């Protein structure tokens, strides 16, 4: 999946929540925010995802890789 670097401003509480949720999910805050933004956009009807199955598979693969990395760290 292609990525694009952007600069965002978040209030302290939102950033703290994102960091905590990302850590629990074994993801970087950037990846977690990207996933959350995509989910919220779809939930609010911003438009259909081009390939929902591929996005879901990519999310599952990312989660599996993060879990494996966490296990490897002990």
């Amino acid at each position: 999946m292609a990525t694009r670097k952007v600069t965002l401003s978040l209030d302290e509480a939102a950033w703290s929540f994102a960091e905590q949720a990302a850590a629990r999910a074994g993801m970087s805050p950037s990846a977690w925010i990207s996933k959350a933004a995509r989910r919220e956009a779809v939930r609010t009807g911003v438009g259909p995802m081009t390939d929902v199955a591929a996005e879901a598979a990519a999310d599952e693969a990312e989660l599996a890789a993060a879990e494996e990395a966490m296990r490897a760290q002990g």
Side-chain angles (χ1 to χ4, degrees), residues 11-67:
D11 61 66
E12 289 293 327
W15 178 249
S16 179
F17 292 148
E19 282 185 311
Q20 291 174 45
R24 287 185 187 147
M27 306 169 79
S28 70
S30 181
W32 187 89
I33 289 170
S34 179
K35 185 175 179 178
R38 191 174 337 126
R39 184 177 355 163
E40 183 65 8
V42 170
R43 186 189 73 78
T44 58
V46 170
M49 294 172 62
T50 55
D51 188 350
V52 175
E55 290 290 334
D59 287 345
E60 288 299 318
E62 182 178 345
L63 180 58
E67 288 173 348

